[in-house]
Amino acid sequence: MHEFGIAQAILQATIDVAKAHESRPVERVKVRIGRLRQIVPDSLTFAFEALAKDTVVAGAVLEYEIVPPRLRCKKCAAEYAPEEDWLWQCPKCGESKAELLQGEELLLETVVLRDGDS
């Protein structure tokens, strides 16, 4: 389950943000995940929560946005969202070669820290 490795990377980046702000506890974390990464959201949440125990991130809510793939045809430059992740065929010209514009990202978008007096 590669979700544990990804959760560890998200957790470490989140801890680094908290450390830069006097190790304040983390309330919420938001990530953008490309659908082509084939991450199971429930597994990622489980791994994140398990790994976050006994850290400043313990109890934080993990939110995620799943980003669908978006492509640019290498023949006609049309941009499109494929109906199937594995079938990249331009709806304009039928070409199957395309440049991936989005859909593989894994971005730590937001870390919300608790107030210092909480």
Side-chain angles (χ1 to χ4, degrees), residues 46-115:
F46 173 80
F48 181 80
E49 290 173 354
L51 293 168
K53 289 182 180 178
D54 301 321
T55 72
V56 295
V57 187
V61 175
L62 177 64
E63 298 175 348
Y64 49 86
E65 175 187 352
I66 304 298
V67 180
R70 183 127 190 101
L71 307 169
R72 179 181 298 124
C73 177
K74 289 196 174 194
K75 184 176 180 183
C76 73
E79 291 187 14
Y80 63 99
E83 290 187 27
E84 301 289 337
D85 291 349
W86 54 271
L87 181 61
W88 294 6
Q89 187 171 17
C90 178
K92 187 174 178 183
C93 73
E95 176 66 43
S96 61
K97 294 180 182 169
E99 173 188 3
L100 182 64
L101 301 175
Q102 72 176 32
E104 284 190 325
E105 47 274 90
L106 179 58
L107 304 169
L108 178 61
E109 190 169 84
T110 307
V111 175
V112 177
L113 304 172
R114 292 191 194 121
D115 290 334

Side-chain angles (χ1 to χ4, degrees), residues 2-17:
H2 71 286
E3 285 83 359
F4 267 91
I6 292 168
Q8 180 63 48
I10 294 168
L11 178 64
Q12 188 57 58
T14 303
I15 289 170
D16 291 346
V17 170

Side-chain angles (χ1 to χ4, degrees), residues 21-28 56 111-118:
H21 295 89
E22 302 171 357
S23 293
R24 289 173 37 205
V26 177
E27 188 173 302
R28 186 169 35 93
V56 295
V111 175
V112 177
L113 304 172
R114 292 191 194 121
D115 290 334
D117 58 351
S118 297

